[in-house]
Every structure is written in C-alpha cells, then in structure tokens.
Amino acid sequence: MPTHLVWFRADLRVHDNIALAAACRAKDANVLALFMATPEQWRQHDMAPRQAALLRAYLNDLQHSLAGKGIPLIYKEVNDFAAQLQTVQEICKQHEVTHLFYNYQYEFNEQQRDRQLEKMLEGVVCEGFDDSVMLAPGSVMTGNHEMYKVFTPFKNAFIKRLKEALPECVAAPAVRGEAIKELPELTFDYPQQPFDEALFPADEKAAIAQLRQFCKQDAGYYDARRDFPAIEGTSRLSACLALGAISPRQCLHRLLAEQPQALEGGAGSVWLNELIWREFYRHLMTFHPGLCKHRPFIGWTDNVKWQSNDKQLKAWKSGQTGYPIVDAAMRQLNETGWMHNRLRMITASFLVKDLLIDWRIGERYFISQLIDGDLAANNGGWQWAASTGTDAAPYFRIFNPTTQGQKFDADGEFIRRWVPELNGIPAKAIHEPWAWADKQRVKLDYPRPIVDHKQARVATLAAYEAARKA
Ligand code: FAD
C-alpha cells in the first residue's frame, strides 16, 4: 500500500488545500500529515507573539479536523530548515513513505529548501502545488514574458486570466479511517500573546464563517467604507490568509457567489483588487528574490542617508509622536496586532518621510507586532510607502499626517478610541491638538509633534534627491 505524507506549512486548513486533496485522491493510500514548528527561525525573524498564538490555535484545529478523518498529524519542533529536511528524511524512512505532497512557499529560503528536498529524497515522489495564490507565479506575464513591474496592468491581465478560467476549489478529503481520539495539545517554545477571537477567527470554521458574512454583507460596500478606520469596513481576513486557514480561491468563489459582478468591475470588485495586490506581491517575490533579503526594488534608494534617532523611533513605536492619527494607529497595532490599511500607509510614510528612518526598521517592527505578518505583503507595503518599490508613489509624494487624519477620521472617532488623552478636544481641533492647547492656554497630557511636517518634508526631498544623483 502506498504511503502519502502531506507536509503542512502556511496552509493550516482541510478545505481547498491542494496538497492534502492530492494526497487523499488515491483511496488505497495510507495518508499521514506533518507539521514542523521552527521557533528558532521565528525568533530570527521577530515573529509576533500574537501570530504565534494564532498559529498554535490553527495547528490544534487542523490536528482535530485531520483526526476526524482518520489522518494522524506528526508534530515536531526543530531548529531550522536543515533540521526540517533531516526530519522529513527520517519520517519517510520510518513510515516507508512513497509520495510527499506540499504546497509551495514563495520566500527565497523556503524555495531553496524545497529544491534541496526534492534532490535529497531518493525513491520518494515529491509533488508541490501553487496553493497560496489564485494564479501561479509565472502565469501572469507581460507580452515579453516578464513579470509586471506595475500593479494596474498586472491586475488587468490577472482578471483576464480569471475570466478565461476560474481556479477551482478542491473539497476537503473524505473520512479515510476511524477517527483518532485523545489528541495531545500541541505547543512550541515561543512567546505567545492572547488575541481577540471576536476580531480574528481562531479556527478554520470561524474563518469560513467570517468570509461568508463579509462577502454577503460588506463586500458590496467595501469601496465606500474601506478607507475609514473608525468603521469595520474591511474583512479582517489577513491573518487567516497569511497562515492559510482560508485560501484566496475560497475568497474569490465566495465573493462571486455574493457579488456576481465583481469580475466585471461591479460591486465587490474593489475587494477583489485587494486580493490581487496580495497576489502581485507574491508573484513579484518569486521573480525578485532580493525582496526577501529586504533589498529595495529601486536600487538608487539604497543611497538615501537615513537618520538614526532612537528617541523618535521609540515615540513612533509607542504612539507618542504628537500626530494623533499616527499615534492612534500605532496603539491599535500594539494592542491588537492589527492595523487598518490606510493607517499602515500613514504610519509607514511618517516613519520614512517625516523621520527619515530606514523603512526596513519599520518593516521589522510591523512583523514583530502583526498577527497577519506576511513577508511579501509587508515588504510590498513598506516599499510602496517608502517609494523604493514597484509601482511606488514617486518619492516626492509625501503624506501629510494632519490632512490624512482630517480626511479619513474627520470627527476623530478613531483617534478618541485609542488616544483617550484627546477626549476633551472638539472634533475640528483634534488633528492639531497643540494649536488648540496653545489657543486655550491649557496643558495637554499628550506630546507636541516630534517633528515639524513641513520642515521634515523638505529634508526628505533633499535626501532622496541627493541619493538619486549619487
Ligand atoms: P481587506 O481590505 O479586507 O483585504 C482583503 C485581503 O486582501 C487582506 O486580508 C489581505 O490578504 C489582502 N490585501 C489587502 N490589501 C493588501 C495590500 N495592500 N497588499 C497585499 N495584500 C493585501 N498585509 C498582510 O496580510 N500582512 C502584512 O504583513 C502586511 N503589512 C503591510 C504593511 C504596510 C506598510 C502596508 C501599507 C500594508 C500591509 N499589508 C499587509 C496590506 C494590508 O494593509 C492588509 O492586508 C490589510 O489591512 C488587512 O486587513 P483586511 O484583512 O481587513 O483586508
């Protein structure tokens, strides 16, 4: 009897999991599953303790779902990729594995590891799948067979491909044997921090339910609501997608079931665009492995003379910059592990363009806090904000933190939620509390701006200009 081993990575679900479905296709095969935690590596990358807690929740849920179908999950904690390879080799030997199934990861080191794996496992048939994307990297290319460098033409080509053939979802495997009882609680030696289960679904079933509800009730209004952080206008599915509790294909199909015009530019199409941004950054990473090493996409931006100012960096991290929208956003991140997309753009722009601090420092800080931390999306977002990446806003376009606040949190509802020190200030004045305090001759328990935006803008433009000419 053939033995099939499924190596789970960032795909912790049983529905629409291509590797799992492929392993279970042959009815006569003995199917085993494997997950290897690598806390040592997570430490090196500064993985957020809230993301670790969510990963653990998904892992235990996966163990239960597989056990219900009669599939045992082998669980190991190992140091690094070399140890992962050795462990797979040992398991293959011990269980006489004939076929190994796994879903690709697109980060550079992970790709290298998988190449090595395929060479190493003699006598075991290895099958990898493009599962964490709707369309495989390399399948959406320019007429010259190159990866797009700009989002909009990529998106147009992507939608054309979807219209030609929608990627299908695969069903969860059928029950293969007697349910396995008495499962151990799986955990690992890595700091974990509780997360709010009302905001971030803690298992696959809850993730699917949140997707269904969002597509039915909110996706049609996403365009009008997505930019206002005081409103729950976005799906909050990023953490489920990052760890693979749901797939992008499930998102696509659910969206089209509720919003049939989404592919034609109708209701729901703007949410689809966001899913395509996610794909864009994943595709890009496979063609530009330097991004995984945090190199800028635009080479000359490496010449920018970044400032080193620990006091200002600390103020940014802790939400004490004196700019209310920036501070409210950073406090939301620190306290929940998530930040609204508009605010990610504002806070990233502030660090890079107002404080002139290297975007890589911000990128790393976000990963250390985000429950949805994802190398491709985070790097893409930071390079976008720093104007060092593809499709970046030109470096001379600089967000003004005050007018951004006035535009996207006009009456200060979001600010008041996270910066209670400003509760007593009228809505009109809340974005410039220092000016209001001076006028009223009162002292606020809130810092004055740590930089003058106008001056900072001039200095940043000069620094980028000098780098471009260098
Ligand atoms: P929705 O608005 O409901 O969007 C649906 C899904 O599309 C998201 O769950 C996400 O998977 C994807 N998505 C949305 N916007 C983007 C985008 N701009 N780029 C790539 N994918 C997108 N997203 C992450 O998943 N992980 C990160 O580490 C991350 N870091 C970011 C850092 C910066 C500086 C910026 C500007 C953006 C970052 N994003 C990141 C993208 C985006 O902010 C989040 O995906 C989004 O806020 C998550 O909320 P949501 O699930 O409600 O998104």
Side-chain angles (χ1 to χ4, degrees):
M1 186 195 266
T3 297
H4 293 181
L5 178 66
V6 189
W7 178 359
F8 282 86
R9 291 105 172 256
D11 52 349
L12 304 178
R13 65 180 185 283
V14 293
H15 292 90
D16 192 35
N17 185 319
I18 302 182
L20 176 65
C24 294
R25 206 153 285 141
K27 292 213 167 54
D28 64 338
N30 176 30
V31 178
L32 302 171
L34 167 69
F35 182 84
M36 285 177 279
T38 52
E40 210 41 56
Q41 281 191 330
W42 299 342
R43 247 172 229 118
Q44 278 169 26
H45 294 113
D46 245 347
M47 176 186 186
R50 280 198 186 88
Q51 188 171 45
L54 186 66
L55 191 154
R56 193 179 126 204
Y58 288 161
L59 183 61
N60 280 287
D61 178 50
L62 176 71
Q63 179 183 228
H64 276 91
S65 304
L66 291 171
K69 297 181 183 299
I71 302 173
L73 176 72
I74 304 168
Y75 172 68
K76 304 275 180 196
E77 191 172 320
V78 299
N79 274 348
D80 52 22
F81 285 164
Q84 281 191 330
L85 292 178
Q86 200 188 333
T87 306
V88 174
Q89 213 167 15
E90 285 163 10
I91 291 172
C92 285
K93 230 186 218 160
Q94 191 187 344
H95 295 275
E96 296 178 2
V97 170
T98 53
H99 295 72
L100 176 67
F101 299 84
Y102 56 89
N103 292 318
Y104 294 128
Q105 291 178 290
Y106 301 111
E107 294 84 355
F108 180 71
N109 291 340
E110 280 78 348
Q111 287 202 42
Q112 297 282 92
R113 176 200 60 194
D114 287 351
R115 268 185 216 123
Q116 225 176 312
L117 175 77
E118 290 173 13
K119 277 193 215 142
M120 211 180 71
L121 286 180
E122 271 173 36
V124 179
V125 179
C126 295
E127 284 193 54
F129 301 90
D130 290 291
D131 170 86
S132 79
V133 284
M134 291 183 237
L135 299 177
S139 67
V140 184
M141 305 289 269
T142 67
N144 292 334
H145 307 288
E146 285 169 359
M147 173 59 197
Y148 287 92
K149 294 193 175 83
V150 178
F151 175 71
T152 305
F154 173 83
K155 179 195 78 179
N156 293 340
F158 197 97
I159 288 179
K160 192 164 168 256
R161 288 286 319 273
L162 290 182
K163 283 182 183 169
E164 283 160 10
L166 276 187
E168 285 180 14
C169 287
V170 292
V175 172
R176 303 186 69 82
E178 220 172 280
I180 303 161
K181 295 190 181 105
E182 300 202 15
L183 300 170
E185 172 70 18
L186 305 177
T187 190
F188 33 71
D189 178 21
Y190 193 82
Q192 289 161 54
Q193 207 177 346
F195 59 88
D196 186 345
E197 291 191 21
L199 298 179
F200 309 106
D203 58 40
E204 186 177 348
K205 197 169 157 208
I208 293 173
Q210 186 151 318
L211 171 65
R212 294 182 86 91
Q213 189 180 339
F214 174 80
C215 289
K216 190 170 184 168
Q217 291 177 5
D218 304 303
Y221 308 104
Y222 180 80
D223 190 16
R225 306 178 64 199
R226 69 182 169 135
D227 264 324
F228 302 99
I231 302 175
E232 286 293 324
T234 68
S235 70
R236 282 197 194 256
L237 287 169
S238 47
C240 313
L241 280 159
L243 295 175
I246 53 167
S247 79
R249 292 173 302 281
Q250 286 174 297
C251 293
L252 175 68
H253 282 276
R254 191 52 9 222
L255 177 68
L256 292 178
E258 298 292 349
Q259 312 290 341
Q261 292 306 309
L263 269 179
E264 309 298 333
S269 61
V270 179
W271 194 62
L272 177 61
N273 276 0
E274 300 306 317
L275 293 173
I276 301 176
W277 269 108
R278 179 179 173 278
E279 303 267 324
F280 179 59
Y281 287 138
R282 275 178 144 64
H283 286 217
L284 207 60
M285 198 168 66
T286 60
F287 287 94
H288 300 278
L291 298 176
C292 297
K293 298 187 186 333
H294 313 282
R295 294 202 191 109
F297 194 80
I298 301 175
W300 65 258
T301 60
D302 237 356
N303 300 329
V304 173
K305 296 259 179 294
W306 305 111
Q307 303 278 336
S308 161
N309 186 326
D310 286 349
K311 213 169 144 200
Q312 289 188 342
L313 177 62
K314 201 168 156 209
W316 177 79
K317 284 183 182 174
S318 57
Q320 296 286 348
T321 67
Y323 284 97
I325 195 71
V326 173
D327 294 341
M330 293 307 290
R331 296 183 196 187
Q332 179 185 41
L333 172 67
N334 294 336
E335 287 177 40
T336 69
W338 186 85
M339 191 197 284
H340 187 277
N341 181 58
R342 167 62 46 185
L343 304 178
R344 294 189 204 207
M345 295 194 283
I346 295 174
T347 53
S349 171
F350 186 82
L351 184 79
V352 180
K353 307 261 178 83
D354 282 73
L355 303 183
L356 203 57
I357 289 177
D358 191 335
W359 57 272
R360 282 161 280 225
I361 294 173
E363 184 194 14
R364 193 169 177 103
Y365 184 69
F366 266 32
I367 284 292
S368 77
Q369 298 298 316
L370 282 172
I371 192 166
D372 65 16
D374 174 86
L375 197 154
N378 194 45
N379 181 272
W382 273 95
Q383 295 225 38
W384 185 93
S387 309
T388 62
T390 57
D391 206 34
Y395 70 87
F396 45 82
R397 221 179 275 155
I398 296 181
F399 276 10
N400 177 324
T402 305
T403 53
Q404 285 286 312
Q406 286 162 342
K407 201 163 165 197
F408 297 110
D409 189 32
D411 55 9
E413 189 186 337
F414 181 80
I415 289 172
R416 269 179 248 279
R417 213 178 283 162
W418 294 101
V419 190
E421 304 96 290
L422 301 179
N423 268 343
I425 301 185
K428 258 192 177 166
I430 202 161
H431 301 284
E432 291 175 301
W434 61 92
W436 180 83
D438 287 348
K439 224 181 191 173
Q440 304 293 318
R441 294 173 192 259
V442 292
K443 199 171 169 332
L444 286 175
D445 181 22
Y446 180 72
R448 294 183 79 83
I450 58 170
V451 283
D452 177 272
H453 174 68
K454 270 192 193 148
Q455 285 172 12
R457 186 175 187 281
V458 172
T460 295
L461 289 178
Y464 271 71
E465 197 55 30
R468 200 165 63 92
K469 287 182 180 152

